Amino acid sequence: MTLVAGFSIAPTWMRGQAWRREDSRAEELLSGGPIIDAVVRAERAGFDLAFRPDALTLPLGTIGSDPAHLGLDPIVQAAQLAGATRRIGLVVTVSATFSEPYPVARQLVSLEHLAPGHIGWNVVTSRSGDEQFSVERLPDSAARWRRAEELIDVVESLRAGFPAAAMRVDRDSGVLVDVERVRPTNHAGENFRVAGPLPLPVPTPQPLPLMVAGGGESTIALAGRRADAMFASAIEIESGSSQRAAVRAAAKDAGRPDRPLLLPGLSLVLAGTRGEAAAIERATYPPSGQRRGAGPHWSVVGTPEDAVASIVARAEARAIDGFIAFPVGSWRSVELLCDEVMPRLRVLGLVGEGTPLFHA
């Protein structure tokens, strides 16, 4: 079994009080420099994709001492990373609850030109963020996921409307674009009206690799119909097993031969000894009611060997198809993840040298 290995673009090693460590590079956060260094290191280690989660709210009650919600726009950051990487897939999060298909499609196709074959998107619905947008959030989850699926449809229609073959650049004939090959979308649906076409061609006719995030009934149904992968919270092995079975059943019900991959979040506080790792976790999240780790995810606090053992256990239980790693607590977690965990997994045959996005 070969797993898809994902690395979080978010600077989770700075979360909580870890930004106060001398090696955190918190002063450089908004330059993007530490993120570039982390993702380049992950690419060298053989990670398949770099995943950028996102939030649409800024909690004023916590940002005074925790940088968890600070950061560059995901699309802008992916453009920066496209220039610094060569192989690793870059997966950006898009809120289908508030986004419009035309700008999303234009941004994603622009990224495809900057990093051909290495762009994917993670479509989510948002539980908050209403105060940032004039678009009202739909009242129930099922309606929000219908909007998400329509967004996916329109983005792909816009991508298909300007194929690469239409870009002629024929100096002798004076034809830059074969207009006959460009078609408008003219979509009129439940949530969107979009004419199209885009002002740039798509590099490939294949749909963009698609991830959806969540674990509810509507998310699983959409993943079964449309997604290549599902990012999920699976704290326990049993949760991963049940979600993996559910999304595969949904794909079977939809008549899909391919099964979406389950890629749970994996929070890692790594050190040379378990005692040191536990001390780092206590310093990062002191007992003050703050949220621990990188969210409600599967978690390992210990050594690289402990991380490998936990991943092996989940793989043997068929509870995962891969993982999205969130190194937490210190830059050392990034180093140990890339330099010790990944090589051990490679020796065991659980990861390769890097594969295109979600294809295991």
Side-chain angles (χ1 to χ4, degrees):
M1 180 183 192
T2 302
L3 302 175
V4 171
F7 183 89
S8 172
I9 294 175
T12 50
W13 70 87
M14 298 186 194
R15 293 281 174 89
Q17 296 299 296
W19 67 272
R20 299 174 66 180
R21 294 175 62 97
E22 290 296 325
D23 63 352
S24 74
R25 298 175 64 183
E27 296 85 353
E28 302 174 60
L29 171 60
L30 299 182
S31 74
I35 307 296
I36 291 175
D37 290 348
V39 173
V40 167
R41 192 178 195 113
E43 182 176 58
R44 287 200 304 263
F47 275 91
D48 303 304
L49 62 94
F51 168 70
R52 176 59 158 86
D54 193 30
L56 299 175
T57 56
L58 184 65
L60 296 179
T62 61
I63 62 164
S65 60
D66 185 343
H69 287 76
L70 299 177
L72 301 177
D73 177 89
I75 298 291
V76 174
Q77 191 162 59
Q80 185 185 42
L81 288 166
T85 57
R86 295 292 176 267
R87 176 199 53 78
I88 195 167
L90 304 174
V91 181
V92 295
T93 295
V94 172
S95 170
T97 303
F98 299 112
S99 297
E100 289 287 329
Y102 186 89
V104 168
R106 187 180 188 183
Q107 291 167 339
L108 290 174
V109 173
S110 296
L111 285 177
E112 288 184 83
H113 282 279
L114 297 177
H118 302 301
I119 300 299
W121 58 325
N122 172 49
V123 175
V124 303
T125 59
S126 299
R127 297 179 180 178
S128 61
D130 303 66
E131 62 273 22
Q132 319 299 354
F133 302 92
S134 57
V135 175
E136 291 188 7
R137 185 163 51 98
L138 293 169
D140 64 272
S141 176
R144 291 193 290 273
W145 280 109
R146 285 199 307 274
R147 189 181 200 273
E149 190 157 15
E150 187 178 350
L151 177 87
I152 295 166
D153 286 336
V154 182
V155 166
E156 288 299 345
S157 178
L158 286 163
R159 290 180 72 252
F162 196 156
M167 198 72 185
R168 290 274 301 278
V169 196
D170 188 333
R171 290 177 174 84
D172 292 336
S173 68
V175 177
L176 179 66
V177 175
D178 184 351
V179 179
E180 295 298 320
R181 290 176 176 264
V182 181
R183 63 168 178 79
T185 294
N186 292 330
H187 174 87
E190 180 183 357
N191 297 285
F192 305 113
R193 287 181 173 273
V194 182
L198 293 175
L200 75 170
V202 67
T204 171
Q206 302 302 319
L208 273 174
L210 172 68
M211 180 190 295
V212 297
E217 183 176 339
S218 297
T219 319
I220 288 171
L222 176 58
R225 289 193 300 272
R226 306 294 296 274
D228 300 287
M230 188 173 82
F231 173 61
S233 172
I235 297 174
E236 305 297 337
I237 289 182
E238 294 77 13
S239 174
S241 297
S242 63
Q243 290 185 74
R244 185 171 183 263
V247 76
R248 286 173 170 249
K252 183 178 180 180
D253 290 344
R256 288 182 60 188
D258 298 327
R259 302 293 183 258
L261 305 179
L262 183 75
L263 306 179
L266 170 56
S267 174
L268 295 167
V269 180
L270 299 177
T273 68
R274 292 176 180 174
E276 184 184 356
I280 291 173
E281 186 194 36
R282 287 193 298 271
T284 301
Y285 298 103
S288 60
Q290 295 186 53
R291 187 180 67 172
R292 300 173 69 83
H297 297 304
W298 162 28
S299 178
V300 175
V301 179
T303 65
E305 292 84 356
D306 292 329
V308 170
S310 183
I311 293 167
V312 167
R314 297 226 176 188
E316 290 178 345
R318 293 293 191 266
I320 56 173
D321 295 296
F323 54 87
I324 307 292
F326 294 80
V328 175
S330 73
W331 180 256
R332 187 65 177 146
S333 285
V334 177
E335 294 175 335
L336 291 174
L337 169 62
C338 293
D339 300 345
E340 297 195 24
V341 174
M342 286 295 285
R344 284 175 166 85
L345 293 175
R346 189 170 296 108
V347 168
L348 294 172
L350 285 177
V351 300
E353 296 295 332
T355 55
L357 295 184
F358 307 123
H359 303 294

